[in-house]
Amino acid sequence: MMLAGKGAGNVISSLRFLFRNQTLVLGPSWRCFSTQTDGEVRITKVLKEKFPQASSLKVVDISGGCGAMYEVYIESSEFKGKRTIQQHQLVNQALKEEIQGMHGLRIFTDVPKQ
């Protein structure tokens, strides 16, 4: 993106503010998130129920808001002793119903550091 002319400073200042205060997704169109989409809320609820010991959980609609693709970040002691593939299988099983309407799902899992 090229920023030139008198208004470039204002745009840069706005972007700096935005990056400090919200999540920005760049793609065909820019989307700022200050609240979750319905899909993000639904998936978060399912994962909280299935992984009550999760110490960290974040769901992001990376499809631009249409609900076709999500990223899931989850950290739970329930993953302790399990290989990454087993952790991902647990998440896939928990989201079995939701996955049917998706084009893709990126899963990032971890065990809390002690």
Side-chain angles (χ1 to χ4, degrees):
M1 169 173 46
M2 288 186 60
L3 298 174
K6 197 173 189 179
N10 289 339
V11 172
I12 292 170
S13 294
S14 296
L15 287 174
R16 283 188 188 125
F17 174 79
L18 186 63
F19 284 119
R20 281 196 308 267
N21 295 293
Q22 295 181 4
T23 302
L24 177 68
V25 174
L26 299 175
S29 61
W30 289 34
R31 179 172 165 229
C32 298
F33 297 93
S34 56
T35 60
Q36 289 186 305
T37 65
D38 291 341
E40 290 167 341
V41 171
R42 186 179 65 253
I43 292 169
T44 299
K45 181 181 177 201
V46 169
L47 291 173
K48 282 183 179 180
E49 290 172 2
K50 299 289 183 174
F51 301 97
Q53 297 175 15
S55 57
S56 178
L57 174 60
K58 182 177 181 183
V59 177
V60 180
D61 182 341
I62 58 172
S63 64
C66 72
M69 188 160 182
Y70 292 90
E71 279 187 352
V72 171
Y73 302 86
I74 184 167
E75 184 176 285
S76 178
S77 59
E78 293 158 286
F79 297 141
K80 189 173 185 174
K82 292 180 174 54
R83 294 176 297 160
T84 303
I85 188 74
Q86 293 170 318
Q87 296 171 12
H88 290 202
Q89 287 170 339
L90 289 172
V91 174
N92 276 313
Q93 184 60 35
L95 296 175
K96 187 176 179 180
E97 296 295 317
E98 288 73 19
I99 287 174
Q100 292 177 4
M102 293 181 200
H103 290 288
L105 177 65
R106 293 181 186 162
I107 301 171
F108 301 91
T109 56
D110 204 359
V111 177
K113 308 295 184 262
Q114 293 180 5

